[in-house]
Amino acid sequence: MINPVTSRIWVYRVAFLGLCAIIVFFHLLPMQTIPTQWSAPDLLICLSFCWVVRRPDYLPALSVGIVFLISDMFFLRPPGLMAALAVLGTEFLRARSHFIREFPFLLEWAVVTVVIAGVLLGNRLILLILMVDPPVLGLSLLQFLATSLAYPLTVLFSKYALGISKITPAELNR
Amino acid sequence: MAKDRNSGDEYVRPVRRILVGLLIFVLIGLFLLWRIDSPRVERFRANLVDRVMPSFDWALRPVTAATSMFSDFQSYQRIYEQNQELRRELQQMKAWKEAALQLEQKNARLLDLNNVRLDPLLTYVTGVVIADSGSPFRQSVLVNVGKRDGIKDGWATMDGIGIVGRISGVGRNTARVILLTDSNSRIPVAIQPTGQRALLTGDNTAAPPLELLENPELIRPGDRVVSSGDGGVFPAGLLVGQVALGTDGRLRVRLAADYERLEFLRVLRSREHEQIHDPGGLLAPPATTENTTETTEIEAND
């Protein structure tokens, strides 16, 4: 006896892992081996922040941790740091997600942008404190801008392609 | 009912908080472990990549091929211009080919005259690029040769023309190549006509700058840059590129290797350099004969 609601939640949980795997895979394709002057948005951050605001039940903290740890490993970042910060960021948003869901979109976007900035800044500060060379400043700033600009697109994609709508209080209480 | 659920919530929430805290703790712990004992964690990372990447190979290769075909297709639009351009280049190349043949013959004759022994052990293994670093902050690629093929850390990697990078991290079936453009790459180079030594330091741009130059005024844009072999890491005399003056006024190197399309890479097998420890003995006339004459003299005195 599987409750249809529960099975729907699990389908989306697996879908999140699948989407992240696809994103990591496309990052790893050896198409661009010349250093670039700009940097692509961190879609993993966009996707997880978008989902945690809209449907916190689709995104357990463990899957955020796993996805970011794997991307740390493959993208040659210091392992664990970005993952820990991403979990902290999503938990911060999750705790405030009822308020954020009632905000107009622009305000939601602003809150998410601040959290993205916090995560990237925290990453940089910790690397500086522990005397690891942080990534180039200009590229990091560009990445922050690109990530913030990509957020509305991620929301549109999640809403119309994947059918992620804001969770209703009734569903929340069930 | 509702009250029941609420009381359940009271237990679930703190437990969840503890579990999330534990997760963050474990992740931070991993990061600190990496900071303290980097080689061990990096070895784990190399093993992980080595295990996972080759199994993605079937998917990575067709997608890469499709995208490069698409970009090739775009270039069909200006095929006439390209044809003209190629003809002109071919004309120039014929002249160069003639010059090269003459030089080759001359070189062979001179080598013969000098009885030069070329290094016979500089052979190479060719590998295919299977993935790149995936982030704009790191410049490295993964090739499909590894410990199994006898690859070792630090070996030089070239495409057909110039140095591409250095092996750093070897798994069983894969090895990572840190490109010269990566901000962690430092290789000793020599600038050809003057023979000046410098350090080529990657800084995440397409043309890495030259540092620690003794006389920058002696160097002209267009000079050839080759590896110098200092420090015994790289074999000497491999082509790196040409000097160019950057827009920021620094001397940079335009790399000879084609970074647009890194597909096949040669890993040069370089063997350990023999070290000379002996400072060299004092050259003196053989002492034994003197001793014997002395003893004979003493004996005679007795």
Side-chain angles (χ1 to χ4, degrees):
Chain A
M1 280 281 280
I2 300 172
N3 184 350
V5 177
T6 331
S7 71
R8 189 177 150 81
I9 286 178
W10 279 101
V11 164
Y12 274 102
R13 284 179 178 179
V14 173
F16 177 76
L17 294 180
L19 268 177
C20 289
I22 291 172
I23 292 173
V24 170
F25 172 79
F26 272 92
H27 268 289
L28 286 174
L29 285 183
M31 285 185 288
Q32 187 68 36
T33 38
I34 275 192
T36 49
Q37 294 302 313
W38 58 285
S39 67
D42 196 331
L43 290 177
L44 295 177
I45 288 189
C46 277
L47 195 70
S48 44
F49 284 6
C50 166
W51 283 38
V52 87
V53 169
R54 268 130 217 282
R55 296 300 304 230
D57 53 337
Y58 289 171
L59 197 71
L62 187 63
S63 68
V64 178
I66 289 175
V67 161
F68 278 88
L69 185 61
I70 288 174
S71 71
D72 276 350
M73 282 293 178
F74 281 117
F75 295 166
L76 300 181
R77 290 189 300 227
L81 177 60
M82 200 61 189
L85 288 169
V87 173
L88 275 175
T90 49
E91 287 308 307
F92 178 85
L93 285 175
R94 191 195 302 274
R96 284 151 191 77
S97 62
H98 351 240
F99 308 114
I100 298 176
R101 270 196 299 276
E102 283 159 21
F103 286 169
F105 179 71
L106 277 181
L107 198 53
E108 175 193 335
W109 188 12
V111 171
V112 169
T113 300
V114 168
V115 179
I116 293 173
V119 166
L120 294 182
L121 204 66
N123 185 23
R124 205 173 172 82
L125 275 182
I126 294 177
L127 287 183
L128 277 174
I129 290 169
L130 293 180
M131 294 198 270
V132 184
D133 273 345
V136 192
L137 181 65
L139 271 181
S140 306
L141 283 176
L142 277 177
Q143 188 178 36
F144 161 63
L145 278 182
T147 310
S148 168
L149 290 178
Y151 181 74
L153 301 179
T154 324
V155 170
L156 287 180
F157 175 75
S158 311
K159 191 164 179 184
Y160 294 108
L162 306 173
I164 305 266
S165 49
K166 290 183 181 176
I167 193 169
T168 55
E171 281 177 293
L172 200 60
N173 281 338
R174 196 164 38 227
Chain B
M1 260 317 251
K3 205 175 176 191
D4 241 20
R5 192 136 300 141
N6 277 344
S7 62
D9 242 26
E10 265 164 41
Y11 291 111
V12 168
R13 247 203 216 146
V15 168
R16 185 171 183 285
R17 199 164 289 174
I18 289 169
L19 287 179
V20 169
L22 201 66
L23 177 66
I24 292 174
F25 183 74
V26 166
L27 291 171
I28 292 282
L30 180 65
F31 171 64
L32 289 179
L33 180 70
W34 173 81
R35 188 69 195 102
I36 294 161
D37 188 6
S38 179
R40 197 181 296 265
V41 180
E42 288 298 333
R43 218 172 317 144
F44 170 72
R45 194 209 294 266
N47 281 337
L48 183 77
V49 171
D50 188 48
R51 188 68 58 81
V52 176
M53 271 303 163
S55 58
F56 277 133
D57 201 25
W58 58 268
L60 279 167
R61 227 174 272 177
V63 179
T64 317
T67 43
S68 60
M69 252 157 74
F70 181 68
S71 55
D72 281 348
F73 186 73
Q74 284 182 323
S75 72
Y76 282 142
Q77 290 171 347
R78 39 180 220 97
I79 201 157
Y80 177 73
E81 291 164 47
Q82 255 181 354
N83 199 356
Q84 294 293 318
E85 211 171 290
L86 287 177
R87 265 167 218 263
R88 267 198 304 280
E89 271 180 24
L90 190 66
Q91 210 66 29
Q92 286 172 355
M93 288 303 144
K94 274 185 185 156
W96 278 111
K97 187 188 164 197
E98 200 56 40
L101 280 177
Q102 284 175 11
L103 280 177
E104 192 190 358
Q105 284 166 7
K106 191 174 163 195
N107 196 12
R109 274 202 304 277
L110 289 176
L111 285 180
D112 197 29
L113 280 176
N114 283 335
N115 204 4
V116 172
R117 185 182 142 89
L118 289 178
D119 195 343
L121 287 182
L122 208 61
T123 56
Y124 54 81
V125 191
T126 302
V128 179
V129 173
I130 52 178
D132 70 6
S133 67
S135 93
F137 305 111
R138 301 272 170 184
Q139 306 299 328
S140 69
V141 293
L142 210 65
V143 289
N144 69 344
V145 288
K147 215 169 270 167
R148 175 188 62 171
D149 309 277
I151 305 292
K152 285 191 186 144
D153 261 340
W155 282 6
T157 313
M158 308 178 71
D159 72 348
I161 310 164
I163 297 189
V164 165
R166 178 170 53 84
I167 297 285
S168 162
V170 188
R172 214 179 78 77
N173 303 316
T174 55
R176 187 169 288 284
V177 180
I178 298 285
L179 304 181
L180 297 185
T181 50
D182 187 89
S183 50
N184 289 323
S185 158
R186 303 277 182 279
I187 65 161
V189 292
I191 292 132
Q192 218 18 295
T194 54
Q196 275 200 68
R197 301 299 162 100
L199 208 59
L200 185 69
T201 51
D203 65 347
N204 238 338
T205 58
L210 286 169
E211 274 175 15
L212 302 178
L213 268 170
E214 212 166 299
N215 283 324
E217 58 273 15
L218 289 182
I219 288 168
R220 299 267 156 74
D223 287 356
R224 266 163 56 91
V225 179
V226 296
S227 64
S228 69
D230 288 341
V233 181
F234 267 24
L238 303 176
L239 180 62
V240 176
Q242 284 188 329
V243 177
L245 197 61
T247 45
D248 53 350
R250 293 171 84 182
L251 287 171
R252 291 174 174 272
V253 175
R254 191 174 296 137
L255 299 169
D258 185 9
Y259 274 65
E260 291 269 4
R261 295 264 162 92
L262 294 180
E263 202 173 343
F264 297 100
L265 293 184
R266 288 174 180 179
V267 184
L268 298 184
R269 286 202 188 92
S270 35
R271 81 209 135 98
E272 299 272 316
H273 287 262
E274 271 182 284
Q275 296 282 333
I276 300 174
H277 296 293
D278 187 10
L282 189 63
L283 292 182
T288 45
T289 49
E290 250 177 68
N291 281 344
T292 45
T293 47
E294 268 176 26
T295 43
T296 46
E297 273 174 18
I298 292 164
E299 276 167 11
N301 286 346
D302 280 350

